[in-house]
Every structure is written in structure tokens, then in C-alpha cells.
Amino acid sequence: MEGKGNTKEQLISEIAKLREHINELELTKARLIKEVEEFKELFNLFEESGDAIYITDREGPFIDVNQPTLKLFGYTRKEMIGLDILKIYVNPDDRLELQKKIEKKGVVRDYEVKFRKKDGIKMDCLLTSTVRKSSNGTILGYQGIIRDRTKEKLTEKVLKDSEARYRLLFESNPQPMWVYDIKTLKFIAVNDAAIQHYGFSRNEFLSMTIKDIWPPEDPFKVLKAISKLAPADRHPSIWRHRKKDGSIIDVETVSLGITFSQGDARLVIVSDITEKKQAEKEGERIQTQLLQEQKMEVVGLLAGGIAHDFNNLLTTIQGYTDLALMKIKKTDPLYRNLKQIEHSSLRASDLIRQLLLFSHRKHIEFVPLNINESIYHITKMVKRLIGDDIDIIKYLEPDIWIVRADAENIEQMIMDLVVNARDAMPKGGQLTISTENIYIDEGYVELNECAYTGEFVCLSVADTGVGIEKDIITHIFEPFFSTKMPRKGLGLGLSAVNEIVKQHQGWINVHSKPGQGALFQVFLPAFQKN
């Protein structure tokens, strides 16, 4: 009985153990089912991931790869499982370097590496990898994610190349260029040509606005024009700009609205047209001079045709007048009439000399001449010509330099200047004649386009008359130009003066204001010093 009891108890104990084991198996089954489900989820994530995921043995062969990895490298699963990972590295040393970093840190993120596809095409990739360990800490291998950034790198290269081309076109462009902010008008960028041409340093430019390079009188006009510019407006515009040294230049600009890092901006390309505008002005001056010379040629043809014959007639008139004056007394009523004829014939002779000068038929003889002596000779003759209501004052340089000139022409020039001064003082006044030795330097030449450097004798004739209007001064040396009443003059006096001065390689300056008289300065090159 006792044996049977023991057997029964053992059987019950075994059944209890069996049930416990069955319970454990059920728990294990449930755990396995859960793990399988989790594995399925992980497998689905592994396979359906957009990134290339791989698992390798520590020695190198691939243990598993997902579909994106196969697609990325061009292998089949059968070809890639068991393939040594070194086969996909362009540079095997990268694999060794990566392995050291992973085992040291446990994880490496965004490691730049070049991989090779099955067909040999190279790729720029980013690799993130972690180490795989057993429960006791033994390193089993590695797992990682690969991201192909070949297109991204190509885009970066295109952007860098584009930036390099921009730098080349902008920085190395021989024409001044800059970018300014549309709202603040501040300079954002300037190229080397702008720095060199305008004289400001790069830092100075970047601390300025475009208003700082405009002349003080221009900002309102320029701001108004800029406000009307459309972003795509590329029409060239003419402006004036101020350089660092204060000089003003004429420029033509072409600008275009662009988007810069700071926001809306405008790119400006500048062409300096200062010399071009000066050349245009010079062309206009030459054209005016040519027209003037053509007028003079017409006058010369006219004068040459009649002057000699007319002069012969005047000689006859003057001869008979002189004979008549010798035979009658000053108290005779006809004496005054004869003196008027004499006076008019003398003036007519002066006119003939002027006409002959224009016709270039008068012989010119250049000799060393003391201009003070010519002035003494003329002033003795002109006193009765200009009248008692005009005072003549002379300030003559005692040691005046000698000029090389035609004595008759110089006296004619002085006479014409004196007569012109007399006509400007109908109510009387003061006539001042002066001479001085003068040296003309570069500074003076810059302010007087007709001047040139050297030693000169300056003859000045000044009056206290009615003065000359500003818009008339530019015409006073033109043939037949006159502000006198009809029959009071032909307008050849100052034209003759100008012609004589040019024949002597000199020039004339005129200074006058209405109501403040006039000053005529004749500059003749010195021939020798006393």
C-alpha cells in the first residue's frame, strides 16, 4: 500500500511539473509569437525603409541587406549576401578607419565615404553605422544606413561653380560694378574695378549708401529716378558720380533687380563716359571753329575782291582833302566839312586794313618788338579820336620782354581795342592800358583751354563802360557781329584783333559784367628778355 501511495504522489508531482512546463511552454510560445510579430514589423521596416540598410559580420561579409540597398548597389540578394563589404569601398582604408571609430565610440554618424556600384560607378555617400554585440559584450558585427548624396554633391558643385563664375564675372570685371539694397540704398558688394576707379576702399564702400557718390545737388533728382525703376528695367541711364577725391565724372549705368542674401537688391554696371562727353564737347567746339573759319574765308574772298580798289579810291580822296585843307583857313566854313571828310576817310582806311587782314593778302613781317613803344605811338594818335571825356591811364612794365610781331598789325590791334573801349563809354570814363611780364603754369592752363605754358607778355585794355552780357561774350569775335546801332560799325574790329592775336600764336581773355566795364587781356609769347 505504501509503495502505491508513493507512486501516486510521484505521479501527481510529475503531472504538476508537467503542467508547469506546459505553462512555461505556453508563455514561451506567446513570447515567441510576440517576438515573431515584432520581427515581422522590424523586417517590414527593414525592407520598406527608403534608406539602404545593411548588417555585416565583423569580418566583413554582408549578413543581410534590404531592398533599397540592392537597388542602390545593383546586386541581387543572392549576390550581396556573403559579399565582403570591402568590395563596395572605393578606398579600402576608409573601411578600416570607419571600423576603428565604430568600435571606439559605438556609433558613427554621417561618415562621408565613396562606394562603388556593381557596374563600377562611384557614389558619394553618407554612412551611419553602429556596432552589434552579443549579450556578453562580444562584437558580432555592424549595422548601418547608407544615403546616396551623389546628386546632392553634384548640386553643391554646380552651385560652387556658379558662385565661382559669379565671382569671376563680378570681381574680375574691368568695369565698376556693385550691388545695393533697394530699401536702404546701402552698398552690399563692390568689385575691385569700382574700388580702383572711385578711390574708396571696400570697407568705405560697404559703410556708404549710393547717395554718397552723388554730387550734393543731384540726390533728389536721382532718388526720384531710382524710385521709378522696375526690377527688370535694364535701360542705360546717364548720371554724374563723385569720386573720393571730390572730382565729378559722367557715367552711364545699366542696372537690374536681383534677389541677394539681404533681400531685394540691384546690380549696377558702370561705364565712365567722361572722356567721351569731353570729346563730344571738343567736337562741337571744333565744328564751331570750322564754321567760324568758313565765315572768315567768305569774308576774305569778299574783302580781297574789293579792298585794294577801294583803298585806291580812298587814297585819292585823302590826297585831294589834304590839298584842300592846305589852301583854306581854319576859319573858313568849309574847313570843318573837310576835316570830317578826312576823319571818315581815315576810319575807312582802318576798315580796309581789317578787310585785307581777313583776306590774308596783307604782307606780315615778324620782327623783335617792344610792345610799350607801340602803345606810346598809338596813344599819341588816339587822344583826339576818343574825345576829351575819356581819361587814358597807362601802367607799363619798364622791363617789358620783347615779342616777335608785325609792328603794323600790333598797332592795329591796340587801336581796335581802344576804339572798342571808347564805344563802350558813350558818356565818358576811364581807359586803362597796361603791360606785364607773366609766366603761365599748368594750373592756369587747366582753367583756360586756349592757354599753354611758358613766358608771355600780357597787354591789358580795360574800360569803365557798359560791360558785356554773358551770352554775348562768346560771339564778340565773330565777323560782322556788333551790338552797335546800324551804320555805327560793321563788327570787324574785335574780329581783326582776334585774327592778329592768333597770327602771333597768342590768345585773348575777356572779363566783363553788365554795368561794370570790360577787361581784354592779350597774351603774346615772349621772344627774348631784356
Side-chain angles (χ1 to χ4, degrees):
M1 293 296 289
E2 186 178 355
K4 289 182 179 180
N6 289 337
T7 301
K8 184 179 180 180
E9 288 176 357
Q10 289 177 355
L11 183 60
I12 291 171
S13 176
E14 289 295 329
I15 291 171
K17 289 180 179 179
L18 184 59
R19 284 178 177 172
E20 184 179 343
H21 183 63
I22 289 171
N23 288 336
E24 288 179 357
L25 288 175
E26 289 291 335
L27 291 173
T28 300
K29 178 182 177 182
R31 187 173 67 252
L32 287 173
I33 290 171
K34 183 179 179 182
E35 287 179 354
V36 168
E37 292 297 327
E38 289 177 352
F39 177 78
K40 284 182 178 179
E41 289 181 10
L42 288 173
F43 183 77
N44 289 335
L45 288 173
F46 180 75
E47 283 297 326
E48 295 174 7
S49 171
D51 293 318
I53 302 174
Y54 70 90
I55 300 172
T56 66
D57 187 270
R58 188 181 186 190
E59 300 304 320
F62 285 103
I63 296 175
D64 201 1
V65 294
N66 67 353
Q67 193 62 35
T69 305
L70 298 174
K71 183 178 180 181
L72 178 63
F73 286 90
Y75 289 98
T76 64
R77 185 176 296 278
K78 184 178 179 180
E79 290 172 331
M80 202 158 192
I81 300 301
L83 181 71
D84 191 337
I85 195 170
L86 280 174
K87 296 289 185 180
I88 68 169
Y89 276 86
V90 172
N91 184 0
D93 291 339
D94 288 342
R95 159 69 177 169
L96 298 174
E97 182 69 21
L98 178 64
Q99 191 173 14
K100 289 178 184 178
K101 289 184 177 182
I102 294 174
E103 294 188 359
K104 181 179 180 180
K105 297 180 180 180
V107 61
V108 172
R109 302 182 188 278
D110 295 332
Y111 184 81
E112 290 193 12
V113 63
K114 282 188 177 292
F115 285 136
R116 182 185 288 109
K117 293 186 176 187
K118 180 183 177 180
D119 59 10
I121 294 176
K122 298 176 182 178
M123 300 182 293
D124 292 293
C125 297
L126 286 179
L127 175 63
T128 297
S129 184
T130 59
V131 68
R132 292 173 50 246
K133 294 183 179 180
S134 66
S135 58
N136 62 5
T138 303
I139 296 176
L140 301 176
Y142 314 97
Q143 57 196 16
I145 299 174
I146 299 171
R147 183 162 64 87
D148 182 8
R149 62 186 302 265
T150 305
K151 292 182 179 179
E152 185 180 330
K153 289 271 286 186
L154 181 61
T155 301
E156 288 179 0
K157 184 177 183 303
V158 170
L159 289 173
K160 286 182 180 179
D161 290 345
S162 177
E163 183 179 356
R165 285 195 298 272
Y166 158 76
R167 292 287 177 192
L168 180 64
L169 291 173
F170 184 79
E171 295 293 348
S172 303
N173 198 298
Q175 290 191 220
M177 298 174 68
W178 56 68
V179 178
Y180 70 89
D181 187 284
I182 288 178
K183 293 181 179 178
T184 65
L185 302 184
K186 289 194 68 173
F187 287 99
I188 299 174
V190 293
N191 71 350
D192 293 339
I195 293 169
Q196 182 178 1
H197 198 75
Y198 284 78
F200 298 102
S201 68
R202 192 178 303 277
N203 288 335
E204 286 175 326
F205 258 121
L206 298 181
S207 67
M208 296 160 49
T209 70
I210 59 174
K211 291 189 293 185
D212 295 321
I213 63 169
W214 301 335
E217 64 272 20
D218 287 359
F220 178 77
K221 180 181 69 175
V222 181
L223 283 171
K224 185 177 180 181
I226 285 179
S227 66
K228 295 180 180 180
L229 288 174
D233 191 352
R234 302 190 187 191
H235 295 299
S237 303
I238 305 297
W239 309 103
R240 298 192 310 150
H241 282 173
R242 181 183 62 85
K243 298 169 74 171
K244 185 176 181 178
D245 61 10
S247 61
I248 304 299
I249 58 175
D250 295 295
V251 299
E252 182 178 76
T253 66
V254 177
S255 64
L256 177 66
I258 61 172
T259 300
F260 213 67
S261 55
Q262 287 90 332
D264 291 335
R266 202 159 188 91
L267 171 68
V268 180
I269 304 173
V270 180
S271 298
D272 190 335
I273 59 170
T274 305
E275 291 185 0
K276 178 183 175 183
K277 293 209 56 164
Q278 289 175 346
E280 288 175 353
K281 289 180 180 178
E282 178 65 14
E284 291 174 0
R285 188 190 68 80
I286 292 173
Q287 181 66 21
T288 301
Q289 182 178 349
L290 179 61
L291 290 173
Q292 180 75 358
E293 290 176 355
Q294 288 174 342
K295 289 181 183 178
M296 298 287 279
E297 185 177 354
V298 171
V299 172
L301 291 172
L302 174 64
I306 65 172
H308 282 296
D309 291 339
F310 191 57
N311 196 43
N312 291 334
L313 293 174
L314 281 175
T315 302
T316 302
I317 293 171
Q318 289 172 351
Y320 281 107
T321 302
D322 289 340
L323 289 174
L325 286 170
M326 292 171 60
K327 292 182 178 180
I328 64 173
K329 297 180 179 179
K330 291 183 180 182
T331 55
D332 193 303
L334 291 176
Y335 186 84
R336 184 177 178 182
N337 294 337
L338 289 171
K339 290 297 291 183
Q340 187 63 41
I341 294 173
E342 181 187 44
H343 178 72
S344 297
S345 63
L346 288 172
R347 293 199 62 179
S349 295
D350 289 337
L351 178 59
I352 290 300
R353 282 197 297 271
Q354 292 170 357
L355 289 172
L356 288 172
L357 179 65
F358 285 122
S359 69
H360 300 292
R361 295 188 181 184
K362 183 177 179 299
H363 177 68
I364 300 176
E365 183 179 0
F366 290 96
V367 296
L369 180 69
N370 185 318
I371 202 167
N372 285 353
E373 294 178 359
S374 298
I375 293 171
Y376 283 126
H377 183 253
I378 289 297
T379 52
K380 289 180 181 179
M381 298 169 53
V382 299
K383 184 58 183 174
R384 63 177 181 172
L385 182 65
I386 64 174
D388 296 330
D389 56 351
I390 295 177
D391 295 324
I392 299 178
I393 299 175
K394 296 189 292 290
Y395 296 104
L396 306 183
E397 174 74 39
D399 297 320
I400 196 70
W401 295 336
I402 301 299
V403 297
R404 188 171 179 273
D406 180 275
E408 186 177 346
N409 274 354
I410 292 298
E411 289 184 4
Q412 177 69 44
M413 176 191 72
I414 298 170
M415 176 71 78
D416 286 336
L417 288 173
V418 169
V419 170
N420 183 72
R422 179 205 64 186
D423 293 341
M425 298 183 288
K427 297 181 180 179
Q430 182 174 292
L431 172 64
T432 304
I433 304 174
S434 59
T435 58
E436 64 176 322
N437 300 322
I438 188 169
Y439 178 78
I440 300 298
D441 58 17
E442 292 288 350
Y444 184 92
V445 171
E446 289 180 3
L447 299 175
N448 297 268
E449 61 178 22
C450 295
Y452 55 97
T453 58
E455 295 170 337
F456 294 84
V457 170
C458 178
L459 163 68
S460 299
V461 177
D463 64 66
T464 57
V466 296
I468 308 172
E469 297 283 351
K470 184 177 181 180
D471 58 341
I472 291 178
I473 287 181
T474 56
H475 299 287
I476 59 176
F477 295 117
E478 295 177 6
F480 303 117
F481 178 83
S482 177
T483 58
K484 299 174 184 177
M485 296 293 290
R487 298 186 181 181
K488 292 294 184 179
L490 292 178
L492 285 176
L494 291 180
S495 299
V497 169
N498 188 46
E499 187 70 15
I500 292 170
V501 172
K502 287 196 297 184
Q503 287 176 349
H504 288 75
Q505 310 302 315
W507 72 91
I508 309 174
N509 284 347
V510 183
H511 306 278
S512 182
K513 289 183 179 180
Q516 298 183 23
L519 169 64
F520 287 78
Q521 292 178 305
V522 175
F523 294 85
L524 301 175
F527 178 61
Q528 65 185 47
K529 298 180 181 180
N530 291 332

